[in-house]
Each structure stands twice: as structure tokens, then as C-alpha cells.
Amino acid sequence: MNALIKSATIVDSKSDFHNETVDILIEKGRIAKISKRISNPNNYKEITLDNLHVSQGWFDSSVSFGEPGYEERETIANGLKTAAQSGFTAVALNANSNPAIDSYADITFVKSKAQDKATSLYPLGALTKASNGKDLAELYDMKNAGAIAFYDYQKPIGNPNLMKIALQYASNFGGLVCSFPQESKISGHGVANEHINSTQLGLKGNPALAEELQIARDLFLLEYTEGKLHIPTISTAKSVELIRAAKAKKLDVTCSVAIHNLMITDDALDGFDTRYKVLPPLRTQKDCDALIEGLKDGTIDMVTTDHNPIDIEDKKIEFDYAKYGTIGLESAFGALQTIFTTKKTVSVLNQGKSRFGIAEASINVGEVADLSLFDPNGEYQFSKADITSRSKNSAFLGMKLKGRTYGVIANNKIVLK
């Protein structure tokens, strides 16, 4: 793939051309030249877009596509196309398909479905067989097949001894164990944050305590085993404090936060709209503020869209019975820009790669072209017309977002909207 990007502002602190507006010549998938003006004698494809900015390709540590088994929600092919158009050059795929991705063959299958795509797919293998929380899955085999971590998506490991064994076993080959932060006996059948709003609306509460107890337990297990732990999608102020203290003790722990938990509170539940039924549940403004602060000071290591397409039959029903989840790839950049500067937004969208063993490529001559293309300016109201996912269950519909993505250049391919 050869291309010439014209008049692009580079947003990459590791680039020699950070904050400069330049032309970028790409030959055979690598950056061949960066300069104020580059001619095009070989008649390469020229990319000229309004207020074009480019950065290192973005990474999302938690996406769900459905395939195999739930293709009505999303296919891998369309999911990766959506990710590319949303500016993501790499995504970690959750194991919550049917059947769950819990073997060497399953990892090989999903990787084969993602071949020759601009956005790279990195599978997360299930931590336990069929994600049932009873017996460890074939972790080492999946690692050899290409799994980058092990996670029973949104299913907490209730047995502390099983989590202990998982951390110990995975440490033998540098495996990363992910643990969903919820104590099920405390959360019970709760569907919303246990607080004033859940009481007024008559919704069963899922207290912050359920998340914090599980995190405290897992951090004790981590300290005992000296393993390697990632805690996905934390949502409470106390969770931030717990992880901050663990990092001060030099424990090998990272965590993420879902973008919707950063900026939408449980006040949104007033209309019983199931687009806002997510797990962990939307919390309070105090929690949002603490999560944002945790992201700023490095306690929280990365953001995720926690993209989870759900078909209309499982969303357009009573709140208690609707499935958890919101899509988030298409709205990620514009949503983050409403609370952060462009520089910070790009930074947090790039974080997490090293934790999952994914290579980073700065925007310098000789590097592989792994680029996200976007315009950081302009406000708009996010609508269904902005969604390319098969499922339309977005918590951001109707919200004012800032800035739009154009697409990506990655894996020797160009994908633009």
C-alpha cells in the first residue's frame, strides 16, 4: 500500500514532528518520508481531508462482536470495519461468543476471521471452561494460539481459590489474568446502582460495595501469588482508591474504565431506557469525578468502549429483563473530547498496548504506518446515522459530541468513512 497524506497535523509526543502540519509519504505500509511538502511523482493515492490530524493507532482493550453464535448482534468483519472507521487499529476481542472462546481452536478461528483487515484483532481467551467459573480453561494452549489475556467477560470468579490458582498458573508463562470486579452474592439481582435513583425508580440495587469487595479480594490474592492482574471496567471512587494503594505497594495490577462510566450517571435511568443498562452500572457524579481523576493521575491505565452490541429483541423489553451492554466504538473519540483535550484524548486511546503485549509504532520515518485519522473540531449530535454496528444500542444517542474520526491506515490498508 502506497499513499500520500497531505497537510496532516501530527499528534504524537514520540514523533519528531509532534504538533507540526506536514505531508506523510507511505510506501509499502511504512512511513518513507515526512516533510512540509512532498510531491507525488508516482501518482500514489492522495489523502486530503478537512483539518486532518493523525496519531498512533488507537487500541480498545474490551470489545464484543458476537461471532461465532451471535451474528445477529455483530459479525467480526463488520465489527472490525466499524472499529477502523472509528479510528481503532487494534481491538481485544472478548470471549463471550457462543460457544465461548476457550480453546486453541477457538482462538485460531476468530483470528482467521480477522485476516487481511486494517484493524488487528487480538483475542482474549476465556479464563474458565465455557466461562462457567468452575474449571480453568486451556490457558497455555490459548496463549500459544495468540490469546493476549484471559477473561470471563462480565462474569466474576466467585471461587477465590480458583482465582488464586489462575494467577499462579498464568505467571509461569507471563499470562495476564483479568477479573471482573463484582461480588455476585452482594450484587444479587441488582440492575442499577444502589442509591437514591434506584430506590425512587423501584429498581433492584447493585451496590458499589459489590465491586469494591471483589477488587479488595483480588488484590490480596495478587499480593499472595505475585501474579499479573488486570481489572476491567471499574466504576466507583473507592475502587480507584484501592487500586491506587495497590500500585503504591508495587503490585502488578492494571485497570480500565468504560467511557460511559466516565461521563454518564445513574440520573439517565429516569426513563427506564435500557440503552443505559450496563455492567458495571452507571454510578454517581462523585464516582465519575473520581474516575476522571484516576485516569489523569495514572491510577487507571486505559479507557475502553466496552463495546457490546445487543440485538433489539434483548433491549426493547422491560428494564429488569434487558441484557446489559452498550456499543461505544463510533462515539468513543467524540465522547472523550467532551471531557479531555485532544492531546489527552489521543493519549488515553493509545494506552494499554504494552500491558497486552501489542507493539507501538510512533509517527517517524521508517516506522510501520499504524495511524488514526481524525478532525478534533466541531460539535454534533450523535445519532443512528453515525452508527455502523449491526446493533444500535448506544448510550450516547442524542448526546453532543466533539470531533469526528475519518478512519485508519494500518496493516498495509486504508479504511476511510
Side-chain angles (χ1 to χ4, degrees):
M1 181 272 294
N2 302 314
L4 178 59
I5 303 174
K6 301 293 290 183
S7 299
T9 301
I10 292 176
V11 184
D12 178 8
S13 59
K14 296 180 180 178
S15 171
D16 298 333
F17 298 88
H18 180 49
N19 284 337
E20 293 186 30
T21 301
V22 294
D23 292 353
I24 304 171
L25 179 65
I26 299 170
E27 293 183 322
K28 297 180 180 178
R30 286 189 174 271
I31 298 172
K33 186 177 181 181
I34 301 175
S35 185
K36 286 293 183 184
R37 279 194 183 82
I38 301 176
S39 60
N40 192 7
N42 295 317
N43 199 30
Y44 291 159
K45 176 182 176 67
E46 285 198 13
I47 298 173
T48 305
L49 298 164
D50 291 340
N51 195 35
L52 176 59
H53 287 59
V54 299
S55 73
Q56 292 184 39
W58 305 336
F59 168 63
D60 192 340
S61 61
S62 176
V63 302
S64 304
F65 287 151
E67 188 179 4
Y70 298 120
E71 287 84 355
E72 72 278 7
R73 298 178 184 175
E74 187 59 284
T75 62
I76 289 174
N78 191 64
L80 290 176
K81 176 186 173 184
T82 298
Q85 291 183 343
S86 303
F88 292 89
T89 63
V91 296
L93 179 69
N94 290 309
N96 59 329
S97 53
N98 185 22
I101 302 167
D102 66 357
S103 69
Y104 187 104
D106 294 332
I107 297 292
T108 303
F109 171 78
V110 295
K111 287 182 69 178
S112 71
K113 298 290 286 189
Q115 284 183 346
D116 301 319
K117 300 293 191 291
T119 298
S120 298
L121 182 148
Y122 295 93
L124 299 171
L127 184 61
T128 64
K129 291 179 181 178
S131 289
N132 62 12
K134 294 180 181 178
D135 301 296
L136 284 186
E138 302 168 6
L139 305 189
Y140 186 63
D141 282 353
M142 288 192 287
K143 171 83 168 179
N144 289 337
I148 59 169
F150 309 103
Y151 178 32
D152 289 350
Y153 179 68
Q154 291 190 346
K155 291 184 176 181
I157 302 298
N159 182 346
N161 191 53
L162 184 63
M163 177 56 65
K164 182 197 77 171
I165 293 169
L167 288 165
Q168 289 173 326
Y169 177 62
S171 67
N172 290 315
F173 53 88
L176 178 61
V177 172
C178 305
S179 178
F180 184 64
Q182 179 173 283
E183 213 302 322
S184 297
K185 289 184 176 63
I186 297 291
S187 62
H189 298 290
V191 296
N193 181 47
E194 184 180 87
H195 198 57
I196 296 169
N197 285 329
S198 63
T199 303
Q200 290 178 336
L201 296 171
L203 295 172
K204 297 183 184 73
N206 180 346
L209 176 66
E211 175 172 310
E212 294 150 8
L213 272 179
Q214 191 81 346
I215 288 176
R217 183 205 76 172
D218 287 345
L219 291 174
F220 273 114
L221 291 171
L222 179 64
E223 186 172 14
Y224 178 81
T225 60
E226 298 182 351
K228 188 176 177 183
L229 178 67
H230 178 69
I231 302 174
T233 59
I234 68 169
S235 67
T236 80
K238 182 67 174 177
S239 296
V240 178
E241 292 177 18
L242 288 167
I243 292 167
R244 186 178 286 127
K247 288 189 170 186
K249 294 169 71 172
K250 307 298 183 186
L251 298 186
D252 192 354
V253 61
T254 53
C255 66
S256 67
V257 60
I259 295 171
H260 49 267
N261 283 112
L262 278 177
M263 52 189 305
I264 307 176
T265 70
D266 59 354
D267 290 340
L269 301 179
D270 271 359
F272 297 95
D273 191 330
T274 59
R275 290 184 299 114
Y276 301 114
K277 186 178 180 182
V278 292
L279 196 66
L282 301 174
R283 305 285 188 185
T284 67
Q285 189 61 53
K286 177 186 174 185
D287 294 305
C288 290
D289 292 342
L291 292 165
I292 291 170
E293 186 57 37
L295 199 55
K296 286 179 177 178
D297 69 19
T299 300
I300 299 175
D301 300 271
M302 63 198 82
V303 297
T304 174
T305 65
D306 206 26
H307 183 83
N308 190 7
I310 303 294
D311 52 279
I312 193 168
E313 288 84 358
D314 287 316
K315 272 294 187 183
K316 287 286 185 179
I317 54 178
E318 293 92 336
F319 199 94
D320 276 354
Y321 301 109
K323 290 192 179 298
Y324 294 101
T326 175
I327 58 172
L329 287 170
E330 297 97 324
S331 55
F333 177 69
L336 287 171
Q337 284 243 117
T338 65
I339 52 178
F340 296 124
T341 64
T342 298
K343 180 180 177 182
K344 182 63 176 178
T345 295
V346 167
S347 174
V348 297
L349 286 170
N350 267 296
Q351 290 169 197
K353 292 178 186 175
S354 60
R355 183 59 166 174
F356 289 90
I358 298 170
E360 299 181 55
S362 61
I363 305 177
N364 285 303
V365 174
E367 294 275 3
V368 171
D370 188 77
L371 308 173
S372 299
L373 284 66
F374 56 95
D375 174 3
N377 295 342
E379 290 189 348
Y380 67 101
Q381 190 172 52
F382 188 71
S383 69
K384 285 189 177 180
D386 298 302
I387 295 175
T388 51
S389 298
R390 280 193 171 190
S391 299
K392 312 300 179 186
N393 56 305
S394 171
F396 294 93
L397 283 172
M399 289 184 62
K400 278 194 174 179
L401 307 184
K402 182 182 178 185
R404 291 182 180 271
T405 56
Y406 287 125
V408 300
I409 298 176
N411 285 336
N412 218 12
K413 289 179 175 54
I414 301 171
V415 175
L416 299 175
K417 287 183 177 178

